[in-house]
């Protein structure tokens, strides 16, 4: 097998950092920071940024720790439906001072020169990985995923060049479909 097609297996925790989102109450909504809630993760490959509610600026002590960046991958932390826990979506271009709720875990890659976030997002949305999330979720009434469980998920990564090629092909197909 050539090194061009070789796969490297790593755990998610080795290639990126996880962060839980903001906890708040219904009274905390107001003018401020647009906030991603779990429902925005179920619209396809990208987080849906349309019609976001806002969390008041006074609610968070250090909101910059929760600001999203393009290429972040967001995971649904909890779900009433077992299959919903672990639902993930990629943060698209165009986010500005946007934060995420406590029902979401953000994953941010450590080194974009080694891993293509779009490729990784497609991989984590594949049927193979969608089967893993319900198995590692805890809880009977509500399925919950933890950062610790997500950190241990093994991912098989081809070379960065191959990741870029696959992500470009799948992205072009998705764009044609939409």
């Amino acid at each position: 097998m050539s090194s061009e097609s070789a796969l490297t297996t790593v755990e998610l925790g080795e290639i990126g950092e996880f962060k839980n989102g903001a906890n708040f109450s219904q009274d905390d909504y107001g003018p401020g920071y647009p906030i991603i809630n779990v429902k925005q993760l179920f619209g396809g490959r990208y987080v849906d940024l349309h019609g976001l509610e806002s969390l008041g600026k006074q609610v968070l002590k250090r909101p910059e720790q929760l600001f999203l960046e393009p290429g972040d991958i967001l995971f649904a932390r909890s779900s009433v439906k077992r299959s919903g826990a672990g639902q993930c979506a990629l943060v698209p271009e165009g986010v500005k001072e946007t934060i995420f709720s406590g029902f979401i875990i953000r994953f941010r890659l450590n080194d974009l020169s080694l891993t293509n976030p779009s490729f990784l997002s497609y991989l984590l949305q594949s049927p193979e990985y969608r089967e893993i999330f319900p198995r590692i979720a805890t809880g009977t009434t509500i399925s919950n995923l933890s950062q610790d469980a997500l950190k241990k998920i093994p991912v098989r990564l081809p070379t960065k060049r191959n990741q870029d090629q696959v992500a470009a092909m799948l992205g072009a197909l998705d764009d044609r479909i939409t």
Side-chain angles (χ1 to χ4, degrees), residues 116 118-119 122-123 158-173:
N116 180 312
S118 186
F119 173 86
Y122 276 120
L123 185 67
T159 63
K160 175 68 164 53
R161 181 175 168 208
N162 285 353
Q163 291 175 47
D164 293 343
Q165 291 171 338
V166 169
M169 284 189 293
L170 292 174
L173 285 171

Side-chain angles (χ1 to χ4, degrees), residues 120-141:
L120 184 60
S121 180
Y122 276 120
L123 185 67
L124 294 169
Q125 291 176 24
S126 72
E128 178 183 355
Y129 282 87
R130 291 297 312 141
E131 272 183 23
I132 292 172
F133 298 124
R135 287 198 310 247
I136 64 172
T138 60
T140 51
T141 307

Side-chain angles (χ1 to χ4, degrees), residues 18-141:
F18 291 91
K19 178 140 185 75
N20 289 344
N23 293 313
F24 58 93
S25 71
Q26 199 65 31
D27 297 335
D28 293 331
Y29 284 110
Y33 302 107
I35 186 163
I36 305 293
N37 285 302
V38 172
K39 64 185 174 187
Q40 277 86 36
L41 306 184
F42 287 85
R45 95 178 124 152
Y46 290 115
V47 172
D48 182 3
L49 299 177
H50 298 92
L52 297 178
E53 296 184 76
S54 291
L55 197 59
K57 287 201 181 237
Q58 76 288 354
V59 174
L60 302 172
K61 288 184 175 56
R62 294 191 305 262
E64 63 281 353
Q65 293 182 344
L66 297 172
F67 287 164
L68 294 169
E69 296 177 4
D72 287 346
I73 298 173
L74 302 182
F75 291 91
R77 193 173 91 180
S78 302
S79 178
V80 179
K81 288 175 56 180
R82 197 142 186 89
S83 62
Q87 175 69 34
C88 65
L90 187 65
V91 175
E93 296 293 327
V95 294
K96 184 175 169 122
E97 292 192 351
T98 301
I99 60 175
F100 55 106
S101 81
F103 294 104
I104 294 174
I105 298 173
R106 178 187 71 200
F107 177 73
R108 181 171 289 161
L109 286 163
N110 293 331
D111 188 346
L112 296 176
S113 71
L114 298 176
T115 309
N116 180 312
S118 186
F119 173 86
L120 184 60
S121 180
Y122 276 120
L123 185 67
L124 294 169
Q125 291 176 24
S126 72
E128 178 183 355
Y129 282 87
R130 291 297 312 141
E131 272 183 23
I132 292 172
F133 298 124
R135 287 198 310 247
I136 64 172
T138 60
T140 51
T141 307

Side-chain angles (χ1 to χ4, degrees), residues 1-20:
M1 176 155 87
S2 75
S3 62
E4 186 64 27
S5 63
L7 295 175
T8 302
T9 301
V10 296
E11 291 181 349
L12 279 178
E14 296 175 61
I15 60 171
E17 301 293 324
F18 291 91
K19 178 140 185 75
N20 289 344

